[in-house]
Amino acid sequence: MSDPLFEYLCRLGDNTLVLGHRVSEWCGVAPVLEEDIALANTALDLIGQTQLWLGLAGDVEGAGRDADKLAFHRDVWDFRNLLLVEQPNGDFGQTMMRQFLFDAWYVDYLRALTKSSHEQIAAIAEKSLKEVTYHFERSSDTVIGLGDGTEESHERMQAALDRLWPFVGEMFVSDDVDAAMVEKGIAPDPASLRDAFDARVNAALEEATLTRPEDNFAHKGGKSGARHTEHLGHMLTQMQWLQRAYPDATW
């Protein structure tokens, strides 16, 4: 296994990279102009965080790979993101439900990272937390508004929740990399964040008149690579096309 710290930073960067790209796919096709702008800004925030996480990962690796190379020159089996973030956008409701579930986890995860023993990680977390706090407020308000809206919007949001809920469990599973980060005081034990996540999610779902599904963990095979669905491979084909077609091209 590679350096646990490098592996860990890739996980954080891959989460924001993949979700940022997914959200960016709405640019120009969102339901209304206001949402088009809001989703584009969310995507930009996430990609900005990617630059920080993967940039630090490249420094830790010390192999001459910067954030761009880690983003564009790895193949699907080298990505370490949560399965949740690579799920297709679906309709607008599914996109916002995916964002809400991620935000509800990420906001408390970042808050814990602000106390990291690793000064650079703590600094990135503090900067990112301001953005993600707003992301959570917006995504939870949207889930509540659509869930407690029309009959059709309620049904769509419940369907989105039912589809995405099986991917939630992965957020709270630990492996050797997590254990190494906990031992060094770099990151929290993922399982320790479950109660806060449940409290955030349950409060919003109750207000949205949505029924939380039974836990049904879809993740299999550990956090490392070779476990992604076809969704990520298709997405990377789009995201990395220019770099693959014109390797190392410059403007």
Side-chain angles (χ1 to χ4, degrees), residues 12-24 39-54 85 98-99 102-103 106 110 128 131-132 135:
L12 294 175
D14 289 348
N15 282 339
T16 53
L17 172 63
V18 172
L19 183 58
H21 184 82
R22 277 289 188 226
V23 175
S24 76
L39 289 168
N41 285 333
T42 297
L44 286 171
D45 287 344
L46 292 168
I47 297 301
Q49 292 167 29
T50 299
Q51 186 75 35
L52 297 174
W53 292 127
L54 292 187
V85 300
R98 183 189 61 202
Q99 189 70 41
F102 178 78
D103 292 341
Y106 197 35
L110 286 173
S128 302
E131 297 170 341
V132 175
H135 293 175

PDB file of all heavy atoms in Angstrom, residues 12-24 39-54 85 98-99 102-103 106 110 128 131-132 135:
ATOM      1  N   LEU A  12     -10.052  12.380  -0.100  1.00  0.00           N
ATOM      2  CA  LEU A  12     -10.722  13.671   0.074  1.00  0.00           C
ATOM      3  C   LEU A  12     -10.808  14.424  -1.253  1.00  0.00           C
ATOM      4  O   LEU A  12     -11.858  14.978  -1.597  1.00  0.00           O
ATOM      5  CB  LEU A  12      -9.965  14.504   1.110  1.00  0.00           C
ATOM      6  CG  LEU A  12      -9.956  13.967   2.548  1.00  0.00           C
ATOM      7  CD1 LEU A  12      -9.067  14.825   3.422  1.00  0.00           C
ATOM      8  CD2 LEU A  12     -11.368  13.899   3.110  1.00  0.00           C
ATOM      9  N   GLY A  13      -9.704  14.444  -1.983  1.00  0.00           N
ATOM     10  CA  GLY A  13      -9.693  15.149  -3.260  1.00  0.00           C
ATOM     11  C   GLY A  13     -10.560  14.499  -4.304  1.00  0.00           C
ATOM     12  O   GLY A  13     -11.219  15.186  -5.109  1.00  0.00           O
ATOM     13  N   ASP A  14     -10.593  13.176  -4.320  1.00  0.00           N
ATOM     14  CA  ASP A  14     -11.420  12.472  -5.304  1.00  0.00           C
ATOM     15  C   ASP A  14     -12.904  12.682  -5.024  1.00  0.00           C
ATOM     16  O   ASP A  14     -13.714  12.783  -5.955  1.00  0.00           O
ATOM     17  CB  ASP A  14     -11.085  10.984  -5.316  1.00  0.00           C
ATOM     18  CG  ASP A  14      -9.714  10.697  -5.915  1.00  0.00           C
ATOM     19  OD1 ASP A  14      -9.124  11.606  -6.521  1.00  0.00           O
ATOM     20  OD2 ASP A  14      -9.236   9.548  -5.774  1.00  0.00           O
ATOM     21  N   ASN A  15     -13.284  12.748  -3.752  1.00  0.00           N
ATOM     22  CA  ASN A  15     -14.682  13.018  -3.424  1.00  0.00           C
ATOM     23  C   ASN A  15     -15.142  14.338  -4.033  1.00  0.00           C
ATOM     24  O   ASN A  15     -16.181  14.423  -4.693  1.00  0.00           O
ATOM     25  CB  ASN A  15     -14.872  13.088  -1.906  1.00  0.00           C
ATOM     26  CG  ASN A  15     -14.927  11.731  -1.249  1.00  0.00           C
ATOM     27  OD1 ASN A  15     -15.204  10.722  -1.890  1.00  0.00           O
ATOM     28  ND2 ASN A  15     -14.654  11.696   0.046  1.00  0.00           N
ATOM     29  N   THR A  16     -14.366  15.386  -3.806  1.00  0.00           N
ATOM     30  CA  THR A  16     -14.778  16.707  -4.287  1.00  0.00           C
ATOM     31  C   THR A  16     -14.611  16.833  -5.796  1.00  0.00           C
ATOM     32  O   THR A  16     -15.405  17.525  -6.444  1.00  0.00           O
ATOM     33  CB  THR A  16     -13.989  17.809  -3.563  1.00  0.00           C
ATOM     34  OG1 THR A  16     -12.580  17.550  -3.663  1.00  0.00           O
ATOM     35  CG2 THR A  16     -14.378  17.875  -2.095  1.00  0.00           C
ATOM     36  N   LEU A  17     -13.609  16.167  -6.361  1.00  0.00           N
ATOM     37  CA  LEU A  17     -13.420  16.205  -7.811  1.00  0.00           C
ATOM     38  C   LEU A  17     -14.586  15.553  -8.534  1.00  0.00           C
ATOM     39  O   LEU A  17     -15.176  16.135  -9.463  1.00  0.00           O
ATOM     40  CB  LEU A  17     -12.120  15.494  -8.187  1.00  0.00           C
ATOM     41  CG  LEU A  17     -11.872  15.287  -9.692  1.00  0.00           C
ATOM     42  CD1 LEU A  17     -11.745  16.628 -10.411  1.00  0.00           C
ATOM     43  CD2 LEU A  17     -10.622  14.445  -9.910  1.00  0.00           C
ATOM     44  N   VAL A  18     -14.933  14.348  -8.130  1.00  0.00           N
ATOM     45  CA  VAL A  18     -15.985  13.608  -8.817  1.00  0.00           C
ATOM     46  C   VAL A  18     -17.339  14.282  -8.618  1.00  0.00           C
ATOM     47  O   VAL A  18     -18.111  14.461  -9.571  1.00  0.00           O
ATOM     48  CB  VAL A  18     -16.010  12.142  -8.343  1.00  0.00           C
ATOM     49  CG1 VAL A  18     -17.229  11.411  -8.915  1.00  0.00           C
ATOM     50  CG2 VAL A  18     -14.717  11.430  -8.763  1.00  0.00           C
ATOM     51  N   LEU A  19     -17.644  14.686  -7.383  1.00  0.00           N
ATOM     52  CA  LEU A  19     -18.927  15.352  -7.152  1.00  0.00           C
ATOM     53  C   LEU A  19     -18.961  16.704  -7.858  1.00  0.00           C
ATOM     54  O   LEU A  19     -19.985  17.080  -8.439  1.00  0.00           O
ATOM     55  CB  LEU A  19     -19.167  15.533  -5.654  1.00  0.00           C
ATOM     56  CG  LEU A  19     -20.523  16.150  -5.287  1.00  0.00           C
ATOM     57  CD1 LEU A  19     -21.676  15.311  -5.836  1.00  0.00           C
ATOM     58  CD2 LEU A  19     -20.649  16.304  -3.776  1.00  0.00           C
ATOM     59  N   GLY A  20     -17.850  17.431  -7.825  1.00  0.00           N
ATOM     60  CA  GLY A  20     -17.809  18.717  -8.520  1.00  0.00           C
ATOM     61  C   GLY A  20     -18.073  18.567 -10.001  1.00  0.00           C
ATOM     62  O   GLY A  20     -18.794  19.368 -10.606  1.00  0.00           O
ATOM     63  N   HIS A  21     -17.487  17.531 -10.611  1.00  0.00           N
ATOM     64  CA  HIS A  21     -17.734  17.309 -12.036  1.00  0.00           C
ATOM     65  C   HIS A  21     -19.187  16.921 -12.272  1.00  0.00           C
ATOM     66  O   HIS A  21     -19.811  17.414 -13.229  1.00  0.00           O
ATOM     67  CB  HIS A  21     -16.812  16.227 -12.572  1.00  0.00           C
ATOM     68  CG  HIS A  21     -16.954  16.012 -14.051  1.00  0.00           C
ATOM     69  ND1 HIS A  21     -16.330  16.818 -14.986  1.00  0.00           N
ATOM     70  CD2 HIS A  21     -17.685  15.116 -14.762  1.00  0.00           C
ATOM     71  CE1 HIS A  21     -16.662  16.414 -16.204  1.00  0.00           C
ATOM     72  NE2 HIS A  21     -17.480  15.387 -16.094  1.00  0.00           N
ATOM     73  N   ARG A  22     -19.728  16.062 -11.437  1.00  0.00           N
ATOM     74  CA  ARG A  22     -21.135  15.674 -11.589  1.00  0.00           C
ATOM     75  C   ARG A  22     -22.045  16.905 -11.541  1.00  0.00           C
ATOM     76  O   ARG A  22     -22.924  17.085 -12.386  1.00  0.00           O
ATOM     77  CB  ARG A  22     -21.534  14.694 -10.485  1.00  0.00           C
ATOM     78  CG  ARG A  22     -21.182  13.248 -10.754  1.00  0.00           C
ATOM     79  CD  ARG A  22     -22.048  12.689 -11.830  1.00  0.00           C
ATOM     80  NE  ARG A  22     -21.869  11.261 -11.999  1.00  0.00           N
ATOM     81  CZ  ARG A  22     -21.731  10.659 -13.162  1.00  0.00           C
ATOM     82  NH1 ARG A  22     -21.729  11.369 -14.287  1.00  0.00           N
ATOM     83  NH2 ARG A  22     -21.605   9.358 -13.245  1.00  0.00           N
ATOM     84  N   VAL A  23     -21.834  17.742 -10.542  1.00  0.00           N
ATOM     85  CA  VAL A  23     -22.684  18.928 -10.393  1.00  0.00           C
ATOM     86  C   VAL A  23     -22.509  19.867 -11.582  1.00  0.00           C
ATOM     87  O   VAL A  23     -23.473  20.483 -12.059  1.00  0.00           O
ATOM     88  CB  VAL A  23     -22.373  19.643  -9.065  1.00  0.00           C
ATOM     89  CG1 VAL A  23     -23.153  20.954  -8.959  1.00  0.00           C
ATOM     90  CG2 VAL A  23     -22.705  18.750  -7.874  1.00  0.00           C
ATOM     91  N   SER A  24     -21.287  19.957 -12.104  1.00  0.00           N
ATOM     92  CA  SER A  24     -21.033  20.854 -13.233  1.00  0.00           C
ATOM     93  C   SER A  24     -21.795  20.434 -14.486  1.00  0.00           C
ATOM     94  O   SER A  24     -22.000  21.257 -15.394  1.00  0.00           O
ATOM     95  CB  SER A  24     -19.538  20.912 -13.540  1.00  0.00           C
ATOM     96  OG  SER A  24     -19.089  19.741 -14.218  1.00  0.00           O
ATOM     97  N   LEU A  39     -25.758  25.871  -8.880  1.00  0.00           N
ATOM     98  CA  LEU A  39     -25.075  24.594  -9.071  1.00  0.00           C
ATOM     99  C   LEU A  39     -23.668  24.803  -9.624  1.00  0.00           C
ATOM    100  O   LEU A  39     -22.728  24.107  -9.228  1.00  0.00           O
ATOM    101  CB  LEU A  39     -25.893  23.698  -9.996  1.00  0.00           C
ATOM    102  CG  LEU A  39     -27.178  23.134  -9.398  1.00  0.00           C
ATOM    103  CD1 LEU A  39     -28.050  22.505 -10.483  1.00  0.00           C
ATOM    104  CD2 LEU A  39     -26.875  22.113  -8.307  1.00  0.00           C
ATOM    105  N   ALA A  40     -23.520  25.750 -10.531  1.00  0.00           N
ATOM    106  CA  ALA A  40     -22.194  26.047 -11.073  1.00  0.00           C
ATOM    107  C   ALA A  40     -21.263  26.535  -9.966  1.00  0.00           C
ATOM    108  O   ALA A  40     -20.085  26.145  -9.910  1.00  0.00           O
ATOM    109  CB  ALA A  40     -22.298  27.083 -12.182  1.00  0.00           C
ATOM    110  N   ASN A  41     -21.776  27.365  -9.065  1.00  0.00           N
ATOM    111  CA  ASN A  41     -20.960  27.858  -7.962  1.00  0.00           C
ATOM    112  C   ASN A  41     -20.585  26.737  -6.999  1.00  0.00           C
ATOM    113  O   ASN A  41     -19.454  26.697  -6.481  1.00  0.00           O
ATOM    114  CB  ASN A  41     -21.691  28.977  -7.211  1.00  0.00           C
ATOM    115  CG  ASN A  41     -21.701  30.285  -7.977  1.00  0.00           C
ATOM    116  OD1 ASN A  41     -20.804  30.544  -8.773  1.00  0.00           O
ATOM    117  ND2 ASN A  41     -22.702  31.110  -7.740  1.00  0.00           N
ATOM    118  N   THR A  42     -21.523  25.827  -6.757  1.00  0.00           N
ATOM    119  CA  THR A  42     -21.218  24.672  -5.912  1.00  0.00           C
ATOM    120  C   THR A  42     -20.115  23.833  -6.531  1.00  0.00           C
ATOM    121  O   THR A  42     -19.176  23.400  -5.844  1.00  0.00           O
ATOM    122  CB  THR A  42     -22.479  23.809  -5.715  1.00  0.00           C
ATOM    123  OG1 THR A  42     -23.482  24.570  -5.035  1.00  0.00           O
ATOM    124  CG2 THR A  42     -22.167  22.556  -4.887  1.00  0.00           C
ATOM    125  N   ALA A  43     -20.224  23.596  -7.832  1.00  0.00           N
ATOM    126  CA  ALA A  43     -19.199  22.818  -8.530  1.00  0.00           C
ATOM    127  C   ALA A  43     -17.839  23.506  -8.435  1.00  0.00           C
ATOM    128  O   ALA A  43     -16.807  22.850  -8.198  1.00  0.00           O
ATOM    129  CB  ALA A  43     -19.589  22.618  -9.989  1.00  0.00           C
ATOM    130  N   LEU A  44     -17.814  24.818  -8.603  1.00  0.00           N
ATOM    131  CA  LEU A  44     -16.552  25.555  -8.512  1.00  0.00           C
ATOM    132  C   LEU A  44     -15.948  25.447  -7.116  1.00  0.00           C
ATOM    133  O   LEU A  44     -14.720  25.301  -6.971  1.00  0.00           O
ATOM    134  CB  LEU A  44     -16.775  27.019  -8.879  1.00  0.00           C
ATOM    135  CG  LEU A  44     -16.984  27.320 -10.368  1.00  0.00           C
ATOM    136  CD1 LEU A  44     -17.404  28.781 -10.553  1.00  0.00           C
ATOM    137  CD2 LEU A  44     -15.715  27.035 -11.161  1.00  0.00           C
ATOM    138  N   ASP A  45     -16.782  25.534  -6.094  1.00  0.00           N
ATOM    139  CA  ASP A  45     -16.280  25.367  -4.726  1.00  0.00           C
ATOM    140  C   ASP A  45     -15.630  24.001  -4.552  1.00  0.00           C
ATOM    141  O   ASP A  45     -14.537  23.880  -3.978  1.00  0.00           O
ATOM    142  CB  ASP A  45     -17.414  25.512  -3.714  1.00  0.00           C
ATOM    143  CG  ASP A  45     -17.888  26.941  -3.536  1.00  0.00           C
ATOM    144  OD1 ASP A  45     -17.160  27.875  -3.954  1.00  0.00           O
ATOM    145  OD2 ASP A  45     -18.989  27.129  -2.988  1.00  0.00           O
ATOM    146  N   LEU A  46     -16.298  22.967  -5.032  1.00  0.00           N
ATOM    147  CA  LEU A  46     -15.791  21.607  -4.866  1.00  0.00           C
ATOM    148  C   LEU A  46     -14.498  21.391  -5.644  1.00  0.00           C
ATOM    149  O   LEU A  46     -13.559  20.758  -5.147  1.00  0.00           O
ATOM    150  CB  LEU A  46     -16.859  20.600  -5.302  1.00  0.00           C
ATOM    151  CG  LEU A  46     -18.097  20.533  -4.400  1.00  0.00           C
ATOM    152  CD1 LEU A  46     -19.212  19.729  -5.072  1.00  0.00           C
ATOM    153  CD2 LEU A  46     -17.746  19.926  -3.040  1.00  0.00           C
ATOM    154  N   ILE A  47     -14.429  21.927  -6.851  1.00  0.00           N
ATOM    155  CA  ILE A  47     -13.206  21.786  -7.630  1.00  0.00           C
ATOM    156  C   ILE A  47     -12.069  22.581  -6.986  1.00  0.00           C
ATOM    157  O   ILE A  47     -10.900  22.159  -7.001  1.00  0.00           O
ATOM    158  CB  ILE A  47     -13.423  22.234  -9.085  1.00  0.00           C
ATOM    159  CG1 ILE A  47     -14.474  21.337  -9.771  1.00  0.00           C
ATOM    160  CG2 ILE A  47     -12.116  22.195  -9.866  1.00  0.00           C
ATOM    161  CD1 ILE A  47     -14.115  19.863  -9.803  1.00  0.00           C
ATOM    162  N   GLY A  48     -12.379  23.721  -6.402  1.00  0.00           N
ATOM    163  CA  GLY A  48     -11.370  24.479  -5.677  1.00  0.00           C
ATOM    164  C   GLY A  48     -10.818  23.695  -4.497  1.00  0.00           C
ATOM    165  O   GLY A  48      -9.606  23.698  -4.239  1.00  0.00           O
ATOM    166  N   GLN A  49     -11.684  22.990  -3.783  1.00  0.00           N
ATOM    167  CA  GLN A  49     -11.230  22.138  -2.687  1.00  0.00           C
ATOM    168  C   GLN A  49     -10.387  20.982  -3.213  1.00  0.00           C
ATOM    169  O   GLN A  49      -9.402  20.581  -2.581  1.00  0.00           O
ATOM    170  CB  GLN A  49     -12.437  21.621  -1.912  1.00  0.00           C
ATOM    171  CG  GLN A  49     -13.185  22.695  -1.154  1.00  0.00           C
ATOM    172  CD  GLN A  49     -14.541  22.244  -0.657  1.00  0.00           C
ATOM    173  OE1 GLN A  49     -14.748  21.069  -0.381  1.00  0.00           O
ATOM    174  NE2 GLN A  49     -15.482  23.176  -0.551  1.00  0.00           N
ATOM    175  N   THR A  50     -10.752  20.470  -4.377  1.00  0.00           N
ATOM    176  CA  THR A  50      -9.965  19.406  -5.003  1.00  0.00           C
ATOM    177  C   THR A  50      -8.536  19.858  -5.236  1.00  0.00           C
ATOM    178  O   THR A  50      -7.579  19.107  -4.994  1.00  0.00           O
ATOM    179  CB  THR A  50     -10.599  19.000  -6.349  1.00  0.00           C
ATOM    180  OG1 THR A  50     -11.917  18.508  -6.129  1.00  0.00           O
ATOM    181  CG2 THR A  50      -9.768  17.925  -7.038  1.00  0.00           C
ATOM    182  N   GLN A  51      -8.382  21.072  -5.730  1.00  0.00           N
ATOM    183  CA  GLN A  51      -7.043  21.615  -5.990  1.00  0.00           C
ATOM    184  C   GLN A  51      -6.198  21.585  -4.722  1.00  0.00           C
ATOM    185  O   GLN A  51      -5.001  21.261  -4.773  1.00  0.00           O
ATOM    186  CB  GLN A  51      -7.168  23.039  -6.521  1.00  0.00           C
ATOM    187  CG  GLN A  51      -5.856  23.672  -6.966  1.00  0.00           C
ATOM    188  CD  GLN A  51      -5.360  23.131  -8.291  1.00  0.00           C
ATOM    189  OE1 GLN A  51      -6.155  22.819  -9.169  1.00  0.00           O
ATOM    190  NE2 GLN A  51      -4.041  23.009  -8.437  1.00  0.00           N
ATOM    191  N   LEU A  52      -6.820  21.892  -3.606  1.00  0.00           N
ATOM    192  CA  LEU A  52      -6.091  21.918  -2.335  1.00  0.00           C
ATOM    193  C   LEU A  52      -5.762  20.510  -1.850  1.00  0.00           C
ATOM    194  O   LEU A  52      -4.626  20.224  -1.452  1.00  0.00           O
ATOM    195  CB  LEU A  52      -6.908  22.668  -1.283  1.00  0.00           C
ATOM    196  CG  LEU A  52      -7.183  24.147  -1.588  1.00  0.00           C
ATOM    197  CD1 LEU A  52      -8.130  24.739  -0.548  1.00  0.00           C
ATOM    198  CD2 LEU A  52      -5.888  24.944  -1.635  1.00  0.00           C
ATOM    199  N   TRP A  53      -6.757  19.620  -1.871  1.00  0.00           N
ATOM    200  CA  TRP A  53      -6.523  18.255  -1.367  1.00  0.00           C
ATOM    201  C   TRP A  53      -5.540  17.491  -2.253  1.00  0.00           C
ATOM    202  O   TRP A  53      -4.587  16.882  -1.753  1.00  0.00           O
ATOM    203  CB  TRP A  53      -7.842  17.485  -1.286  1.00  0.00           C
ATOM    204  CG  TRP A  53      -8.834  17.949  -0.271  1.00  0.00           C
ATOM    205  CD1 TRP A  53     -10.144  18.263  -0.478  1.00  0.00           C
ATOM    206  CD2 TRP A  53      -8.617  18.125   1.138  1.00  0.00           C
ATOM    207  NE1 TRP A  53     -10.751  18.636   0.692  1.00  0.00           N
ATOM    208  CE2 TRP A  53      -9.829  18.558   1.709  1.00  0.00           C
ATOM    209  CE3 TRP A  53      -7.506  17.975   1.970  1.00  0.00           C
ATOM    210  CZ2 TRP A  53      -9.973  18.828   3.067  1.00  0.00           C
ATOM    211  CZ3 TRP A  53      -7.646  18.242   3.335  1.00  0.00           C
ATOM    212  CH2 TRP A  53      -8.857  18.669   3.869  1.00  0.00           C
ATOM    213  N   LEU A  54      -5.753  17.515  -3.553  1.00  0.00           N
ATOM    214  CA  LEU A  54      -4.864  16.773  -4.441  1.00  0.00           C
ATOM    215  C   LEU A  54      -3.506  17.451  -4.566  1.00  0.00           C
ATOM    216  O   LEU A  54      -2.486  16.781  -4.779  1.00  0.00           O
ATOM    217  CB  LEU A  54      -5.501  16.578  -5.820  1.00  0.00           C
ATOM    218  CG  LEU A  54      -6.724  15.658  -5.881  1.00  0.00           C
ATOM    219  CD1 LEU A  54      -7.152  15.423  -7.328  1.00  0.00           C
ATOM    220  CD2 LEU A  54      -6.461  14.318  -5.181  1.00  0.00           C
ATOM    221  N   VAL A  85     -20.830   9.814  -4.521  1.00  0.00           N
ATOM    222  CA  VAL A  85     -20.604  11.019  -5.317  1.00  0.00           C
ATOM    223  C   VAL A  85     -20.538  10.749  -6.812  1.00  0.00           C
ATOM    224  O   VAL A  85     -20.692  11.672  -7.614  1.00  0.00           O
ATOM    225  CB  VAL A  85     -19.331  11.769  -4.864  1.00  0.00           C
ATOM    226  CG1 VAL A  85     -19.459  12.182  -3.411  1.00  0.00           C
ATOM    227  CG2 VAL A  85     -18.074  10.939  -5.081  1.00  0.00           C
ATOM    228  N   ARG A  98     -28.513  13.727  -3.498  1.00  0.00           N
ATOM    229  CA  ARG A  98     -27.113  13.287  -3.418  1.00  0.00           C
ATOM    230  C   ARG A  98     -26.268  14.351  -2.733  1.00  0.00           C
ATOM    231  O   ARG A  98     -25.438  14.052  -1.865  1.00  0.00           O
ATOM    232  CB  ARG A  98     -26.589  13.019  -4.827  1.00  0.00           C
ATOM    233  CG  ARG A  98     -25.151  12.479  -4.898  1.00  0.00           C
ATOM    234  CD  ARG A  98     -24.664  12.453  -6.334  1.00  0.00           C
ATOM    235  NE  ARG A  98     -24.663  13.802  -6.902  1.00  0.00           N
ATOM    236  CZ  ARG A  98     -24.703  14.060  -8.212  1.00  0.00           C
ATOM    237  NH1 ARG A  98     -24.731  13.071  -9.090  1.00  0.00           N
ATOM    238  NH2 ARG A  98     -24.699  15.299  -8.638  1.00  0.00           N
ATOM    239  N   GLN A  99     -26.480  15.612  -3.110  1.00  0.00           N
ATOM    240  CA  GLN A  99     -25.723  16.715  -2.512  1.00  0.00           C
ATOM    241  C   GLN A  99     -26.019  16.818  -1.026  1.00  0.00           C
ATOM    242  O   GLN A  99     -25.106  17.020  -0.211  1.00  0.00           O
ATOM    243  CB  GLN A  99     -26.068  18.020  -3.220  1.00  0.00           C
ATOM    244  CG  GLN A  99     -25.176  19.189  -2.833  1.00  0.00           C
ATOM    245  CD  GLN A  99     -23.763  19.032  -3.362  1.00  0.00           C
ATOM    246  OE1 GLN A  99     -23.573  18.595  -4.490  1.00  0.00           O
ATOM    247  NE2 GLN A  99     -22.783  19.376  -2.546  1.00  0.00           N
ATOM    248  N   PHE A 102     -24.299  14.014   0.971  1.00  0.00           N
ATOM    249  CA  PHE A 102     -22.863  14.271   1.058  1.00  0.00           C
ATOM    250  C   PHE A 102     -22.578  15.435   1.998  1.00  0.00           C
ATOM    251  O   PHE A 102     -21.702  15.348   2.860  1.00  0.00           O
ATOM    252  CB  PHE A 102     -22.290  14.560  -0.330  1.00  0.00           C
ATOM    253  CG  PHE A 102     -20.812  14.873  -0.311  1.00  0.00           C
ATOM    254  CD1 PHE A 102     -19.877  13.860  -0.197  1.00  0.00           C
ATOM    255  CD2 PHE A 102     -20.368  16.193  -0.398  1.00  0.00           C
ATOM    256  CE1 PHE A 102     -18.514  14.148  -0.159  1.00  0.00           C
ATOM    257  CE2 PHE A 102     -19.007  16.483  -0.365  1.00  0.00           C
ATOM    258  CZ  PHE A 102     -18.082  15.463  -0.247  1.00  0.00           C
ATOM    259  N   ASP A 103     -23.310  16.535   1.833  1.00  0.00           N
ATOM    260  CA  ASP A 103     -23.084  17.714   2.670  1.00  0.00           C
ATOM    261  C   ASP A 103     -23.290  17.401   4.151  1.00  0.00           C
ATOM    262  O   ASP A 103     -22.532  17.884   5.007  1.00  0.00           O
ATOM    263  CB  ASP A 103     -24.034  18.843   2.269  1.00  0.00           C
ATOM    264  CG  ASP A 103     -23.738  19.412   0.889  1.00  0.00           C
ATOM    265  OD1 ASP A 103     -22.619  19.212   0.382  1.00  0.00           O
ATOM    266  OD2 ASP A 103     -24.645  20.051   0.320  1.00  0.00           O
ATOM    267  N   TYR A 106     -20.140  15.671   5.137  1.00  0.00           N
ATOM    268  CA  TYR A 106     -18.899  16.418   4.922  1.00  0.00           C
ATOM    269  C   TYR A 106     -18.760  17.597   5.871  1.00  0.00           C
ATOM    270  O   TYR A 106     -17.646  17.937   6.297  1.00  0.00           O
ATOM    271  CB  TYR A 106     -18.862  16.893   3.471  1.00  0.00           C
ATOM    272  CG  TYR A 106     -17.528  17.336   2.946  1.00  0.00           C
ATOM    273  CD1 TYR A 106     -16.339  16.734   3.347  1.00  0.00           C
ATOM    274  CD2 TYR A 106     -17.448  18.361   2.000  1.00  0.00           C
ATOM    275  CE1 TYR A 106     -15.122  17.144   2.830  1.00  0.00           C
ATOM    276  CE2 TYR A 106     -16.232  18.767   1.475  1.00  0.00           C
ATOM    277  CZ  TYR A 106     -15.068  18.167   1.899  1.00  0.00           C
ATOM    278  OH  TYR A 106     -13.865  18.574   1.385  1.00  0.00           O
ATOM    279  N   LEU A 110     -15.406  17.913   8.011  1.00  0.00           N
ATOM    280  CA  LEU A 110     -14.500  19.056   7.916  1.00  0.00           C
ATOM    281  C   LEU A 110     -14.329  19.742   9.268  1.00  0.00           C
ATOM    282  O   LEU A 110     -13.215  20.175   9.627  1.00  0.00           O
ATOM    283  CB  LEU A 110     -15.013  20.062   6.894  1.00  0.00           C
ATOM    284  CG  LEU A 110     -14.871  19.674   5.428  1.00  0.00           C
ATOM    285  CD1 LEU A 110     -15.578  20.689   4.540  1.00  0.00           C
ATOM    286  CD2 LEU A 110     -13.405  19.560   5.015  1.00  0.00           C
ATOM    287  N   SER A 128     -12.530  25.211   3.670  1.00  0.00           N
ATOM    288  CA  SER A 128     -13.597  24.484   2.983  1.00  0.00           C
ATOM    289  C   SER A 128     -14.885  24.467   3.788  1.00  0.00           C
ATOM    290  O   SER A 128     -15.985  24.456   3.214  1.00  0.00           O
ATOM    291  CB  SER A 128     -13.146  23.047   2.692  1.00  0.00           C
ATOM    292  OG  SER A 128     -11.977  23.015   1.911  1.00  0.00           O
ATOM    293  N   GLU A 131     -17.518  27.085   2.958  1.00  0.00           N
ATOM    294  CA  GLU A 131     -18.263  26.815   1.729  1.00  0.00           C
ATOM    295  C   GLU A 131     -19.279  25.697   1.943  1.00  0.00           C
ATOM    296  O   GLU A 131     -20.440  25.797   1.504  1.00  0.00           O
ATOM    297  CB  GLU A 131     -17.291  26.433   0.613  1.00  0.00           C
ATOM    298  CG  GLU A 131     -16.313  27.542   0.255  1.00  0.00           C
ATOM    299  CD  GLU A 131     -15.207  27.098  -0.675  1.00  0.00           C
ATOM    300  OE1 GLU A 131     -14.957  25.879  -0.783  1.00  0.00           O
ATOM    301  OE2 GLU A 131     -14.579  27.973  -1.302  1.00  0.00           O
ATOM    302  N   VAL A 132     -18.849  24.627   2.604  1.00  0.00           N
ATOM    303  CA  VAL A 132     -19.714  23.447   2.747  1.00  0.00           C
ATOM    304  C   VAL A 132     -20.861  23.711   3.715  1.00  0.00           C
ATOM    305  O   VAL A 132     -21.950  23.141   3.576  1.00  0.00           O
ATOM    306  CB  VAL A 132     -18.874  22.229   3.170  1.00  0.00           C
ATOM    307  CG1 VAL A 132     -19.757  21.018   3.445  1.00  0.00           C
ATOM    308  CG2 VAL A 132     -17.854  21.890   2.074  1.00  0.00           C
ATOM    309  N   HIS A 135     -23.317  25.065   1.498  1.00  0.00           N
ATOM    310  CA  HIS A 135     -23.838  23.995   0.636  1.00  0.00           C
ATOM    311  C   HIS A 135     -24.903  23.189   1.389  1.00  0.00           C
ATOM    312  O   HIS A 135     -25.957  22.851   0.820  1.00  0.00           O
ATOM    313  CB  HIS A 135     -22.725  23.032   0.218  1.00  0.00           C
ATOM    314  CG  HIS A 135     -21.700  23.652  -0.677  1.00  0.00           C
ATOM    315  ND1 HIS A 135     -20.575  22.970  -1.081  1.00  0.00           N
ATOM    316  CD2 HIS A 135     -21.615  24.879  -1.256  1.00  0.00           C
ATOM    317  CE1 HIS A 135     -19.847  23.739  -1.866  1.00  0.00           C
ATOM    318  NE2 HIS A 135     -20.463  24.911  -1.981  1.00  0.00           N
TER     319      HIS A 135
END
